[in-house]
Amino acid sequence: MSWRLKVVHRTGLRYASPVTVSFNEVRMTPSSGEGQLLITHELAVTPRARVQTYTDYWGTTVEAFDVNQAHTVLEVIATSLVDTGVPQAPVADMSWDELLAPSTVDRWCEFLTFTSYVDDASQDPARVSVVEKARALATPTEALNYIVPTVQAHLKYSSGSTTVSTTASEAWSQAQGVCQDFTHITLSLLRSCGIPARYVSGYLYKGDGEVGETIVGESHAWVEAWLGSWHPVDPTNGSKVSEAHIVVARGRDYSDVSPLKGIYAGGQSEALGVEVSLTRLPR
């Protein structure tokens, strides 16, 4: 089943004093491929700026722009129309020997690497037992199916309990967080087991599915694990990825997929906040 969804993502920054110049990157363009089709996309920037588009190392569409006039507020509005679909069923499971073979490790080494967000859970006394139990299961798929509900059972979803800089170990210790934290923790456990895994950012439509219904949401994050093919799972909701999910970006962790980031010359900045609306439209 395929859905047509309209997404409006509004965000930006407010500065304590006028900024003379800023250099910015936006990752808010839904991807095309693997059952998803981008129909239209428009980026509106205030103050007005010339936008250049390119594809980054991870395959994500990036819209880059400079603002070379004094400003105290930067506002970005991305409007997209996209057809989604249910991801194809993964291929047959790999064995541990196949997954840990040098050829597989070499191919997906970047999604086995630990980062400032995604640490080695096997070195954390609070999580090492989860890694050991997962490694002892008969197949990597069984390990994935054990790790995801374990994360969901341990972590309580709590908006505002963490920040964009919170690490997997910090979120596990707090036992609460948001989708970014669920994703980073899941990545840390999977990679510690030798399972390549990547961070996926996008949107999740949480409405009833009625055509014409608009819901207010926010950016969402989930995981794809390599088990012979990419297995998408949503650890925050403990569910499969479906036509309600819209893929925007993929990477090693949040730092590779941040919706808006940049550098500037001027006073201290604060986020304007994020407003995301999703509307299901007729096809």
Side-chain angles (χ1 to χ4, degrees):
M1 183 178 181
S2 177
W3 286 4
R4 178 162 294 176
L5 294 169
K6 179 182 178 181
V7 183
V8 181
H9 184 161
R10 182 193 303 265
T11 187
L13 296 168
R14 179 182 291 108
Y15 304 100
S17 59
V19 167
T20 55
V21 62
S22 65
F23 307 92
N24 308 277
E25 291 181 349
V26 174
R27 288 171 172 82
M28 299 181 191
T29 308
S31 64
S32 274
E34 301 181 30
Q36 180 172 292
L37 176 65
L38 178 63
I39 301 171
T40 61
H41 174 78
E42 180 181 0
L43 186 73
V45 178
T46 305
R48 293 183 62 181
R50 180 182 178 184
V51 177
Q52 296 180 313
T53 303
Y54 68 92
T55 302
D56 72 10
Y57 178 80
W58 310 105
T60 300
T61 298
V62 181
E63 293 170 293
F65 61 90
D66 305 343
V67 179
N68 295 297
Q69 57 179 291
H71 58 287
T72 55
V73 174
L74 173 67
E75 184 179 53
V76 175
I77 304 174
T79 304
S80 306
L81 187 63
V82 60
D83 282 352
T84 65
V86 178
Q88 293 184 345
V91 299
D93 188 20
M94 297 182 78
S95 68
W96 284 111
D97 287 343
E98 291 172 314
L99 187 68
L100 300 176
S103 58
T104 304
V105 172
D106 181 65
R107 180 182 181 186
W108 301 115
C109 62
E110 289 164 322
F111 296 121
L112 288 165
T113 301
F114 299 111
T115 70
S116 59
Y117 281 110
V118 181
D119 65 326
D120 185 351
S122 68
Q123 302 302 308
D124 179 5
R127 286 173 290 158
V128 64
S129 62
V130 179
V131 175
E132 291 174 345
K133 289 178 182 178
R135 285 175 173 170
L137 294 170
T139 67
T141 295
E142 289 184 31
L144 173 65
N145 293 337
Y146 163 70
I147 286 171
V148 171
T150 298
V151 172
Q152 192 188 33
H154 179 81
L155 231 65
K156 175 185 177 182
Y157 187 93
S158 179
S159 181
S161 61
T162 54
T163 70
V164 293
S165 61
T166 299
T167 66
S169 61
E170 291 168 343
W172 183 270
S173 177
Q174 294 177 207
Q176 59 183 341
V178 295
C179 61
Q180 175 180 311
D181 305 302
F182 281 80
T183 299
H184 282 150
I185 289 172
T186 304
L187 291 175
S188 73
L189 294 168
L190 289 170
R191 292 179 191 173
S192 297
C193 291
I195 300 174
R198 60 190 182 186
Y199 190 111
V200 186
S201 72
Y203 308 103
L204 176 60
Y205 175 85
K206 293 185 177 180
D208 295 327
E210 297 291 333
V211 173
E213 179 187 31
T214 297
I215 63 106
V216 176
E218 55 191 11
S219 296
H220 193 55
W222 59 97
V223 170
E224 290 177 346
W226 175 262
L227 302 171
S229 64
W230 289 109
H231 290 227
V233 290
D234 185 340
T236 306
N237 296 295
S239 65
K240 295 181 179 179
V241 172
S242 69
E243 64 276 357
H245 290 75
I246 299 174
V247 176
V248 171
R250 294 179 171 96
R252 295 161 297 182
D253 58 25
Y254 176 78
S255 64
D256 288 334
V257 303
S258 176
L260 174 64
K261 63 181 179 181
I263 57 175
Y264 64 92
Q268 185 177 358
S269 67
E270 63 175 345
L272 284 178
V274 178
E275 295 179 9
V276 177
S277 68
L278 298 100
T279 305
R280 188 178 178 194
L281 300 177
R283 295 197 62 191

